[in-house]
Amino acid sequence: MSHFDAASAAPLHPVARQALLASLDEGWADPGRLYREGRRARMLLDAAREAAADAVGCRPDELVFTSSGTRAVHSGIAGALAGRRRIGRHLIVSAVEHSSVLHSAEAFEAEGGTVTRAPVVRTGAVTVESYADALRPDTALACLQSANHEVGTEQPVAAVAELCREAGVPLLVDAAQSLGWGAVEGPWSLLAASAHKWGGPAGVGLLAVRKGVRFAVQGPVDERESGRAAGFENIPAIVAAAASLRAVRAEAAAEAVRLRELTARIRARVGTVVPDVEVVGDPLRRLPGIVTFSCLYVDGEALLHELDREGFSVSSGSSCTSSTLTPSHVLKAMGVLSEGNVRVSLPTGVAEEDVERFLAVLPGAVAGVREKLGAPVAAADAAVRGDVLVVDALGKRCPIPVIELAKVIGEVPVGGTVRVLSDDEAARLDIPAWCEMREQEYVGEEPADRGSAYVVRRLS
């Protein structure tokens, strides 16, 4: 089985395994105790903190270990907002942040705060200008990921951090996807990350808070981890996380070159071996191992199952996954196709032969799903009402509304319109994206008795 979903969880690094097993015998005691076993555990914890801080680019006393990357994000945002409550109750996030950031933003809004969600361009990147426009005198905190978890696009963190510094606003960076590849540049104020993204064990996150940042711990304060992370430290896992971070950093430069070549190969060839594919994300400013593409007329969940049967573990931000029936918020913010979305995130050490086999298997998997869904070959359920061709796709999930649109677009004259009736939320994103891919005009959305009507004008 080829694990091509390292952006969700990377396989445990060999160094992490060795460190974990070795520290199980040495790091079980309470590091807060003064007897021999406690002192030994404290030495392990302190050494891990120094190694992690060196990788992050902060002081050891600025970094604490948490129970997960999500916990680090939640604690970081809540503590920074509480510490700057007198400044104001305004938070800035990007529209493509990880759900942990967006959930924190929603909770803040529910408590009476205000949130500005900075838009992104079609590559998935924010602009520095969008953050400049969002800054206000009452802005307490800004958040920006270092790189996107779904499409791999790197964000202009250094420039945004400098902008925030000049405005006196702390910037929290979610560096979960990028920390294994290098330190985050720029004068950021807070940083969160998660060990299982770089080959460490799950259940270890880290939160760095620079000296001088106003920070008020929320909830009961614990004597451990500077009061910022309650509970007994999992020292063996922390040691393994720090050891693996140091190890992957040592390999990062050479491995990044190799993975960039492999992902560039996928980006270049997927469009030649599979018709009607949109490769998304920035082609240059991107993480080394992630490549994401969307296939027209394909159900994302069905395609993932087909690839799984062929021995490949990939993920999807599509509207049709087992976890959600709505389009990925990242793809929606980018304005790209959501149906048939596949994210390939290659782990370090992946074999070139596995990538070649994936490219060989992919066309058949896509073709098989399209055949089952009835991709454009026959007439759709369409009727002419006045001078408009109407496609009734009510009660049908995407990609079916798009498939039926594609079947009938050739039946109207150039300049004519097709009105697609759909009650699937994904159609709001996928029909305009289909129009852009097929160079047809998306006129807009109109109200309907049920769902919405999406109007498309044929241009060619």
Side-chain angles (χ1 to χ4, degrees):
M1 192 74 180
S2 298
H3 182 74
F4 282 9
D5 193 23
S8 292
L12 194 66
H13 194 282
V15 168
R17 184 182 300 276
Q18 294 168 6
L20 180 65
L21 294 175
S23 58
L24 283 173
D25 292 332
E26 300 292 329
W28 54 268
D30 187 343
R33 301 305 178 190
L34 297 179
Y35 44 72
R36 182 179 304 165
E37 295 90 350
R39 295 197 306 271
R40 196 154 46 216
R42 169 57 63 181
M43 290 175 61
L44 288 173
L45 180 59
D46 288 346
R49 195 184 315 278
E50 290 180 7
D54 181 65
V56 169
C58 67
R59 293 168 33 167
D61 60 351
E62 294 175 329
L63 185 143
V64 299
F65 293 104
T66 66
S67 59
S68 68
T70 294
R71 173 51 58 192
V73 167
H74 289 174
S75 299
I77 292 177
L81 288 172
R84 287 174 51 83
R85 187 180 289 109
R86 291 184 180 180
I87 302 297
R89 300 275 287 161
H90 178 234
L91 170 66
I92 304 171
V93 301
S94 83
V96 294
E97 293 296 317
H98 187 268
S99 59
S100 60
V101 174
L102 299 183
H103 291 162
S104 291
E106 291 166 2
F108 182 59
E109 280 183 311
E111 295 169 356
T114 58
V115 178
T116 297
R117 294 168 176 82
V120 296
V121 297
R122 194 170 176 84
T123 61
V126 303
T127 63
V128 179
E129 292 75 19
S130 67
Y131 271 71
D133 293 341
L135 286 168
R136 304 184 335 201
D138 65 337
T139 301
L141 177 68
C143 300
L144 180 62
Q145 59 190 190
S146 54
N148 187 259
H149 51 292
E150 287 193 24
V151 299
T153 297
E154 294 178 337
Q155 302 290 358
V157 172
V160 171
E162 183 62 36
L163 175 74
C164 290
R165 185 191 64 80
E166 293 174 358
V169 174
L171 177 71
L172 182 146
V173 178
D174 172 11
Q177 291 295 338
S178 72
L179 194 60
W181 297 108
V184 177
E185 302 295 329
W188 50 266
S189 301
L190 303 96
L191 182 144
S194 185
H196 72 277
K197 302 293 187 180
W198 65 68
V204 179
L206 58 83
L207 172 64
V209 182
R210 298 279 199 194
K211 294 295 182 183
V213 176
R214 293 180 181 177
F215 193 91
V217 177
Q218 298 302 285
V221 177
D222 193 81
E223 67 273 10
R224 300 179 186 276
E225 294 300 298
S226 304
R228 293 174 181 168
F232 197 95
E233 298 93 342
N234 184 348
I235 293 177
I238 288 172
V239 170
S244 58
L245 180 56
R246 175 176 285 181
V248 298
R249 281 290 191 83
E251 306 161 354
E255 187 65 7
V257 172
R258 198 177 73 88
L259 289 188
R260 286 189 189 282
E261 192 281 326
L262 292 176
T263 53
R265 187 183 307 181
I266 297 174
R267 288 179 65 88
R269 285 176 51 187
V270 70
T272 63
V273 298
V274 179
D276 295 318
V277 166
E278 179 181 20
V279 182
V280 301
D282 195 295
L284 300 175
R285 290 183 53 84
R286 59 186 303 100
L287 291 174
I290 296 180
V291 56
T292 307
F293 53 90
S294 298
C295 306
L296 272 174
Y297 320 129
V298 169
D299 178 285
E301 187 176 10
L303 181 55
L304 262 59
H305 286 317
E306 287 292 328
L307 292 172
D308 181 58
R309 280 192 282 269
E310 294 289 348
F312 293 96
S313 302
V314 299
S315 66
S316 174
S318 162
S319 59
C320 303
T321 65
S322 58
S323 60
T324 177
L325 296 180
T326 59
S328 152
H329 71 276
V330 172
L331 302 178
K332 187 174 183 179
M334 293 169 62
V336 298
L337 188 70
S338 74
E339 64 186 60
N341 178 265
V342 173
R343 180 188 68 182
V344 174
S345 47
L346 304 176
T348 58
V350 64
E352 180 181 355
E353 295 75 20
D354 288 343
V355 173
E356 286 296 328
R357 192 169 71 84
F358 173 78
L359 288 169
V361 163
L362 182 64
V366 174
V369 174
R370 284 175 172 167
E371 183 178 2
K372 291 176 184 176
L373 290 174
V377 285
D381 180 12
V384 177
R385 302 178 186 174
D387 57 352
V388 178
L389 185 63
V390 178
V391 174
D392 186 351
L394 293 168
K396 300 175 182 177
R397 282 175 46 189
C398 277
I400 300 302
V402 178
I403 289 175
E404 297 193 347
L405 167 63
K407 289 178 180 178
V408 303
I409 191 69
E411 298 179 15
V412 299
V414 173
T417 58
V418 177
R419 196 167 182 261
V420 183
L421 303 177
S422 177
D423 49 9
D424 182 2
E425 173 67 19
R428 183 170 285 111
L429 178 64
D430 288 344
I431 290 177
W434 178 89
C435 290
E436 180 159 338
M437 288 183 68
R438 286 308 185 90
E439 298 183 338
Q440 308 296 342
E441 180 186 354
Y442 177 63
V443 177
E445 180 181 348
E446 298 177 351
D449 294 337
R450 282 180 54 202
S452 297
Y454 303 93
V455 182
V456 176
R457 177 174 288 110
R458 181 184 176 189
L459 298 183
S460 60

